[in-house]
Amino acid sequence: MTSLKGSQRGSALDPLWFALHRAFPETALPAGRGTLGGLVPHRLRFALHRRVIEIHDGLLLLRPRLRPAVPGDDAAHTAAAQIAAALRAPAPTSAPATGLPPGSLPLDTASGTDTAASQLAAVSRAFARLGSGRSAEDEAYVTI
């Protein structure tokens, strides 16, 4: 299991990364030599990029379990609810009988690392809030 070192400890991406890593441990990239070595900017940037890649890899593996999004004003909350429901759903044993493609998340996956990290941090914070107390709306969605 990949452990968090240095500046990554307690990052906004942690709740989402840990949940996806538990479901798909193979998404963790092999650990490099040594630690991040303190607050060296290029190492921090690499660590952020690596974490974003690992989360995206987990989300790709989760796609077959995703259901279509329930419309909402908050893309981060919508994505977090979709991810939470998909993580609880059983893994599909075959392709959907309806022939419909798997659901997708309301995220801009073609953006650069900074934008992707910002979006994923918002989703991760919303994901953490879902785990700490769900609203009736969240419960209705999550049990789909």
Side-chain angles (χ1 to χ4, degrees):
M1 178 173 169
T2 302
S3 63
L4 295 176
K5 307 246 187 221
S7 66
Q8 281 188 318
R9 185 172 287 125
S11 82
L13 298 174
D14 285 357
L16 184 57
W17 184 86
F18 281 117
L20 289 168
H21 185 261
R22 251 190 319 277
F24 308 108
E26 66 274 19
T27 61
L29 298 171
R33 294 181 302 173
T35 65
L36 291 177
L39 300 176
V40 180
H42 72 276
R43 289 186 186 201
L44 291 174
R45 185 133 190 90
F46 178 77
L48 174 64
H49 185 71
R50 177 187 175 122
R51 185 55 45 101
V52 167
I53 288 170
E54 291 172 342
I55 289 172
H56 277 292
D57 287 349
L59 293 175
L60 286 172
L61 292 172
L62 195 62
R63 279 193 72 203
R65 299 185 205 175
L66 288 174
R67 301 292 177 250
V70 173
D73 294 333
D74 184 353
H77 179 81
T78 299
Q82 280 182 277
I83 293 166
L87 284 170
R88 282 193 301 280
T93 56
S94 64
T98 62
L100 295 174
S104 62
L105 297 171
L107 299 173
D108 177 12
T109 57
S111 59
T113 302
D114 292 338
T115 303
S118 178
Q119 287 180 346
L120 290 173
V123 171
S124 186
R125 285 189 296 272
F127 185 82
R129 284 191 304 272
L130 284 176
S132 64
R134 296 185 176 104
S135 69
E137 177 186 324
D138 295 334
E139 285 297 332
Y141 179 81
V142 168
T143 57
I144 289 177

